[in-house]
Amino acid sequence: MDFTTLLEKAGGFILVALCWGSTNPFIKAGTAGLDQVSQKYPQGGIKKWFAELIYLLTRWQYILPLALNLSGSVVYYYTLGKSEMSLAVPITNSLTFIFSLLTGLLLGEELGGADTWLGMFLVIAGVLVCVSSKT
């Protein structure tokens, strides 16, 4: 596998990780108010399930990031068909975590401390080792 092909595949996985990771905090924010819907049905059951489903499906704050997240899955399966699993899984899963943290930080969520930054650095280093071992 030449270096250009490897970079194209890695670029696809980075795009997937960006779609997945950057949308996670927005999906979480889009569920705001779901607790009030759930509290109306303390007994649970199918009525509660439908009420929650309708609530979520009528909120653009939830649907839009969910659609972007799912489009990342389409790109993932397309790219996965042309790549090795040993390269695809570590890149997408680890970078998804990083993009989630950074997007959360931009939205004002607490990031953690120095341990979080060290962890992100180690994840990136691990991805680089994984990619370089395939060249």
Short mmCIF file of all heavy atoms in Angstrom, two decimals, residues 1-42:
data_model
loop_
_atom_site.label_atom_id
_atom_site.label_comp_id
_atom_site.label_asym_id
_atom_site.label_seq_id
_atom_site.Cartn_x
_atom_site.Cartn_y
_atom_site.Cartn_z
N MET A 1 0.86 -1.18 0.00
CA MET A 1 0.00 0.00 0.00
C MET A 1 0.90 1.24 0.00
O MET A 1 1.76 1.38 0.85
CB MET A 1 -0.88 -0.02 1.26
CG MET A 1 -1.77 1.16 1.39
SD MET A 1 -2.76 1.22 2.91
CE MET A 1 -3.54 -0.35 2.95
N ASP A 2 0.71 2.12 -0.98
CA ASP A 2 1.54 3.31 -1.04
C ASP A 2 1.04 4.38 -0.07
O ASP A 2 -0.06 4.31 0.45
CB ASP A 2 1.64 3.84 -2.47
CG ASP A 2 0.34 4.39 -3.01
OD1 ASP A 2 -0.70 4.25 -2.34
OD2 ASP A 2 0.36 4.98 -4.11
N PHE A 3 1.89 5.35 0.15
CA PHE A 3 1.63 6.37 1.17
C PHE A 3 0.40 7.21 0.82
O PHE A 3 -0.38 7.57 1.70
CB PHE A 3 2.86 7.26 1.34
CG PHE A 3 2.77 8.20 2.49
CD1 PHE A 3 2.80 7.74 3.79
CD2 PHE A 3 2.62 9.56 2.27
CE1 PHE A 3 2.70 8.60 4.86
CE2 PHE A 3 2.52 10.44 3.34
CZ PHE A 3 2.57 9.95 4.64
N THR A 4 0.18 7.53 -0.46
CA THR A 4 -0.97 8.36 -0.87
C THR A 4 -2.27 7.64 -0.60
O THR A 4 -3.22 8.23 -0.07
CB THR A 4 -0.86 8.71 -2.37
OG1 THR A 4 0.39 9.32 -2.61
CG2 THR A 4 -1.98 9.63 -2.79
N THR A 5 -2.34 6.36 -0.93
CA THR A 5 -3.55 5.58 -0.67
C THR A 5 -3.82 5.50 0.83
O THR A 5 -4.96 5.62 1.27
CB THR A 5 -3.40 4.15 -1.24
OG1 THR A 5 -3.08 4.25 -2.63
CG2 THR A 5 -4.67 3.35 -1.07
N LEU A 6 -2.76 5.32 1.60
CA LEU A 6 -2.90 5.26 3.05
C LEU A 6 -3.43 6.57 3.60
O LEU A 6 -4.32 6.58 4.46
CB LEU A 6 -1.56 4.91 3.70
CG LEU A 6 -1.56 4.72 5.20
CD1 LEU A 6 -2.42 3.52 5.58
CD2 LEU A 6 -0.14 4.52 5.69
N LEU A 7 -2.93 7.68 3.09
CA LEU A 7 -3.41 8.99 3.55
C LEU A 7 -4.87 9.21 3.17
O LEU A 7 -5.63 9.79 3.94
CB LEU A 7 -2.54 10.11 2.97
CG LEU A 7 -1.20 10.35 3.66
CD1 LEU A 7 -0.44 11.47 2.96
CD2 LEU A 7 -1.39 10.66 5.12
N GLU A 8 -5.28 8.76 1.99
CA GLU A 8 -6.68 8.90 1.58
C GLU A 8 -7.60 8.11 2.51
O GLU A 8 -8.64 8.60 2.93
CB GLU A 8 -6.87 8.42 0.14
CG GLU A 8 -6.28 9.35 -0.89
CD GLU A 8 -6.34 8.78 -2.30
OE1 GLU A 8 -6.87 7.67 -2.48
OE2 GLU A 8 -5.85 9.46 -3.21
N LYS A 9 -7.20 6.88 2.84
CA LYS A 9 -8.01 6.07 3.74
C LYS A 9 -8.04 6.66 5.13
O LYS A 9 -9.09 6.73 5.77
CB LYS A 9 -7.48 4.63 3.78
CG LYS A 9 -7.70 3.90 2.49
CD LYS A 9 -7.12 2.52 2.53
CE LYS A 9 -7.31 1.82 1.19
NZ LYS A 9 -6.72 0.50 1.19
N ALA A 10 -6.88 7.11 5.62
CA ALA A 10 -6.83 7.74 6.94
C ALA A 10 -7.68 9.00 6.94
O ALA A 10 -8.36 9.29 7.93
CB ALA A 10 -5.38 8.05 7.32
N GLY A 11 -7.67 9.75 5.84
CA GLY A 11 -8.51 10.94 5.74
C GLY A 11 -9.98 10.60 5.85
O GLY A 11 -10.75 11.32 6.48
N GLY A 12 -10.39 9.49 5.24
CA GLY A 12 -11.77 9.04 5.36
C GLY A 12 -12.13 8.70 6.79
O GLY A 12 -13.21 9.04 7.28
N PHE A 13 -11.21 8.04 7.49
CA PHE A 13 -11.48 7.69 8.88
C PHE A 13 -11.49 8.91 9.79
O PHE A 13 -12.25 8.98 10.75
CB PHE A 13 -10.48 6.65 9.38
CG PHE A 13 -10.62 5.34 8.68
CD1 PHE A 13 -9.53 4.73 8.10
CD2 PHE A 13 -11.85 4.72 8.59
CE1 PHE A 13 -9.67 3.51 7.45
CE2 PHE A 13 -12.00 3.50 7.94
CZ PHE A 13 -10.91 2.90 7.37
N ILE A 14 -10.66 9.89 9.47
CA ILE A 14 -10.67 11.13 10.25
C ILE A 14 -11.99 11.86 10.02
O ILE A 14 -12.58 12.40 10.97
CB ILE A 14 -9.45 12.00 9.89
CG1 ILE A 14 -8.18 11.34 10.40
CG2 ILE A 14 -9.60 13.41 10.46
CD1 ILE A 14 -6.90 11.97 9.89
N LEU A 15 -12.49 11.85 8.78
CA LEU A 15 -13.79 12.45 8.50
C LEU A 15 -14.90 11.75 9.28
O LEU A 15 -15.78 12.40 9.85
CB LEU A 15 -14.08 12.40 7.00
CG LEU A 15 -15.45 12.90 6.55
CD1 LEU A 15 -15.60 14.40 6.85
CD2 LEU A 15 -15.66 12.63 5.07
N VAL A 16 -14.85 10.43 9.33
CA VAL A 16 -15.84 9.67 10.10
C VAL A 16 -15.75 10.04 11.58
O VAL A 16 -16.76 10.31 12.23
CB VAL A 16 -15.63 8.15 9.91
CG1 VAL A 16 -16.48 7.37 10.89
CG2 VAL A 16 -15.94 7.75 8.48
N ALA A 17 -14.54 10.07 12.11
CA ALA A 17 -14.36 10.42 13.52
C ALA A 17 -14.87 11.83 13.80
O ALA A 17 -15.46 12.08 14.86
CB ALA A 17 -12.89 10.29 13.92
N LEU A 18 -14.66 12.73 12.88
CA LEU A 18 -15.16 14.10 13.03
C LEU A 18 -16.69 14.11 13.04
O LEU A 18 -17.30 14.77 13.88
CB LEU A 18 -14.62 14.99 11.92
CG LEU A 18 -15.01 16.45 11.97
CD1 LEU A 18 -14.44 17.10 13.22
CD2 LEU A 18 -14.49 17.17 10.74
N CYS A 19 -17.30 13.36 12.12
CA CYS A 19 -18.78 13.29 12.10
C CYS A 19 -19.32 12.68 13.38
O CYS A 19 -20.29 13.17 13.96
CB CYS A 19 -19.26 12.47 10.91
SG CYS A 19 -19.15 13.29 9.33
N TRP A 20 -18.71 11.61 13.83
CA TRP A 20 -19.18 10.94 15.04
C TRP A 20 -18.88 11.77 16.29
O TRP A 20 -19.76 12.01 17.11
CB TRP A 20 -18.54 9.57 15.18
CG TRP A 20 -19.08 8.52 14.28
CD1 TRP A 20 -20.18 8.60 13.49
CD2 TRP A 20 -18.53 7.22 14.06
NE1 TRP A 20 -20.35 7.43 12.80
CE2 TRP A 20 -19.36 6.57 13.12
CE3 TRP A 20 -17.42 6.54 14.55
CZ2 TRP A 20 -19.12 5.27 12.70
CZ3 TRP A 20 -17.17 5.26 14.12
CH2 TRP A 20 -18.02 4.63 13.20
N GLY A 21 -17.65 12.19 16.43
CA GLY A 21 -17.24 12.85 17.66
C GLY A 21 -17.81 14.24 17.84
O GLY A 21 -18.24 14.60 18.94
N SER A 22 -17.85 15.01 16.77
CA SER A 22 -18.33 16.39 16.92
C SER A 22 -19.83 16.44 17.16
O SER A 22 -20.35 17.43 17.67
CB SER A 22 -17.95 17.22 15.70
OG SER A 22 -18.61 16.74 14.55
N THR A 23 -20.56 15.41 16.78
CA THR A 23 -22.00 15.43 16.97
C THR A 23 -22.45 14.91 18.33
O THR A 23 -23.56 15.22 18.76
CB THR A 23 -22.71 14.62 15.87
OG1 THR A 23 -22.21 13.28 15.87
CG2 THR A 23 -22.51 15.25 14.51
N ASN A 24 -21.63 14.14 19.00
CA ASN A 24 -22.03 13.57 20.30
C ASN A 24 -22.47 14.62 21.31
O ASN A 24 -23.53 14.49 21.92
CB ASN A 24 -20.92 12.69 20.87
CG ASN A 24 -20.79 11.38 20.13
OD1 ASN A 24 -21.72 10.91 19.50
ND2 ASN A 24 -19.61 10.79 20.21
N PRO A 25 -21.69 15.70 21.52
CA PRO A 25 -22.15 16.72 22.47
C PRO A 25 -23.43 17.43 22.02
O PRO A 25 -24.26 17.80 22.85
CB PRO A 25 -20.98 17.71 22.54
CG PRO A 25 -19.79 16.93 22.11
CD PRO A 25 -20.30 15.96 21.09
N PHE A 26 -23.62 17.59 20.71
CA PHE A 26 -24.84 18.22 20.21
C PHE A 26 -26.05 17.30 20.39
O PHE A 26 -27.14 17.78 20.69
CB PHE A 26 -24.68 18.62 18.74
CG PHE A 26 -23.79 19.81 18.54
CD1 PHE A 26 -22.50 19.65 18.04
CD2 PHE A 26 -24.22 21.08 18.86
CE1 PHE A 26 -21.68 20.74 17.86
CE2 PHE A 26 -23.41 22.19 18.68
CZ PHE A 26 -22.12 22.01 18.18
N ILE A 27 -25.86 16.02 20.20
CA ILE A 27 -26.96 15.06 20.43
C ILE A 27 -27.34 15.10 21.91
O ILE A 27 -28.52 15.11 22.25
CB ILE A 27 -26.56 13.64 19.98
CG1 ILE A 27 -26.46 13.58 18.46
CG2 ILE A 27 -27.55 12.61 20.49
CD1 ILE A 27 -25.88 12.29 17.92
N LYS A 28 -26.34 15.13 22.76
CA LYS A 28 -26.60 15.21 24.21
C LYS A 28 -27.38 16.48 24.54
O LYS A 28 -28.37 16.44 25.28
CB LYS A 28 -25.27 15.18 24.97
CG LYS A 28 -25.42 15.30 26.46
CD LYS A 28 -24.05 15.32 27.12
CE LYS A 28 -24.15 15.63 28.60
NZ LYS A 28 -22.83 15.78 29.21
N ALA A 29 -26.96 17.60 23.97
CA ALA A 29 -27.66 18.87 24.22
C ALA A 29 -29.08 18.84 23.63
O ALA A 29 -30.00 19.45 24.19
CB ALA A 29 -26.87 20.03 23.62
N GLY A 30 -29.26 18.12 22.52
CA GLY A 30 -30.57 18.04 21.89
C GLY A 30 -31.59 17.27 22.70
O GLY A 30 -32.79 17.36 22.45
N THR A 31 -31.15 16.50 23.68
CA THR A 31 -32.07 15.75 24.52
C THR A 31 -32.54 16.56 25.73
O THR A 31 -33.30 16.03 26.56
CB THR A 31 -31.43 14.44 25.02
OG1 THR A 31 -30.30 14.75 25.84
CG2 THR A 31 -31.02 13.55 23.88
N ALA A 32 -32.14 17.81 25.82
CA ALA A 32 -32.56 18.65 26.94
C ALA A 32 -34.09 18.70 27.00
O ALA A 32 -34.75 18.90 25.98
CB ALA A 32 -32.00 20.06 26.80
N GLY A 33 -34.63 18.49 28.15
CA GLY A 33 -36.08 18.49 28.33
C GLY A 33 -36.71 17.11 28.28
O GLY A 33 -37.89 16.95 28.57
N LEU A 34 -35.92 16.11 27.94
CA LEU A 34 -36.45 14.75 27.86
C LEU A 34 -36.87 14.24 29.24
O LEU A 34 -37.82 13.47 29.36
CB LEU A 34 -35.42 13.81 27.23
CG LEU A 34 -35.86 12.40 26.93
CD1 LEU A 34 -37.00 12.39 25.93
CD2 LEU A 34 -34.69 11.58 26.42
N ASP A 35 -36.20 14.72 30.28
CA ASP A 35 -36.57 14.31 31.65
C ASP A 35 -37.99 14.71 32.00
O ASP A 35 -38.71 13.95 32.66
CB ASP A 35 -35.60 14.89 32.67
CG ASP A 35 -34.20 14.30 32.56
OD1 ASP A 35 -34.08 13.18 32.01
OD2 ASP A 35 -33.25 14.94 33.03
N GLN A 36 -38.40 15.91 31.57
CA GLN A 36 -39.76 16.35 31.86
C GLN A 36 -40.79 15.47 31.17
O GLN A 36 -41.86 15.19 31.71
CB GLN A 36 -39.97 17.82 31.44
CG GLN A 36 -39.28 18.82 32.33
CD GLN A 36 -37.83 19.04 31.95
OE1 GLN A 36 -37.37 18.60 30.91
NE2 GLN A 36 -37.10 19.73 32.80
N VAL A 37 -40.48 15.03 29.96
CA VAL A 37 -41.38 14.11 29.25
C VAL A 37 -41.45 12.78 29.98
O VAL A 37 -42.52 12.22 30.18
CB VAL A 37 -40.91 13.91 27.78
CG1 VAL A 37 -41.75 12.86 27.08
CG2 VAL A 37 -40.95 15.23 27.03
N SER A 38 -40.30 12.29 30.40
CA SER A 38 -40.24 11.00 31.10
C SER A 38 -40.99 11.03 32.42
O SER A 38 -41.60 10.03 32.81
CB SER A 38 -38.78 10.60 31.34
OG SER A 38 -38.10 10.47 30.13
N GLN A 39 -40.94 12.17 33.11
CA GLN A 39 -41.60 12.27 34.42
C GLN A 39 -43.12 12.22 34.31
O GLN A 39 -43.80 11.91 35.27
CB GLN A 39 -41.16 13.56 35.13
CG GLN A 39 -39.74 13.51 35.60
CD GLN A 39 -39.26 14.84 36.16
OE1 GLN A 39 -39.99 15.82 36.17
NE2 GLN A 39 -38.02 14.86 36.63
N LYS A 40 -43.66 12.50 33.15
CA LYS A 40 -45.12 12.43 32.95
C LYS A 40 -45.62 11.00 32.94
O LYS A 40 -46.82 10.76 33.06
CB LYS A 40 -45.52 13.13 31.65
CG LYS A 40 -45.29 14.62 31.66
CD LYS A 40 -45.67 15.22 30.32
CE LYS A 40 -45.37 16.71 30.30
NZ LYS A 40 -45.68 17.31 28.99
N TYR A 41 -44.70 10.06 32.77
CA TYR A 41 -45.07 8.64 32.69
C TYR A 41 -44.22 7.84 33.69
O TYR A 41 -43.34 7.07 33.29
CB TYR A 41 -44.85 8.10 31.27
CG TYR A 41 -45.63 8.83 30.23
CD1 TYR A 41 -45.08 9.91 29.53
CD2 TYR A 41 -46.95 8.47 29.95
CE1 TYR A 41 -45.81 10.59 28.58
CE2 TYR A 41 -47.69 9.14 29.01
CZ TYR A 41 -47.11 10.21 28.32
OH TYR A 41 -47.83 10.88 27.37
N PRO A 42 -44.46 8.02 34.98
CA PRO A 42 -43.63 7.34 35.98
C PRO A 42 -43.76 5.82 35.94
O PRO A 42 -42.86 5.11 36.39
CB PRO A 42 -44.13 7.91 37.31
CG PRO A 42 -45.50 8.40 37.04
CD PRO A 42 -45.52 8.81 35.59
#
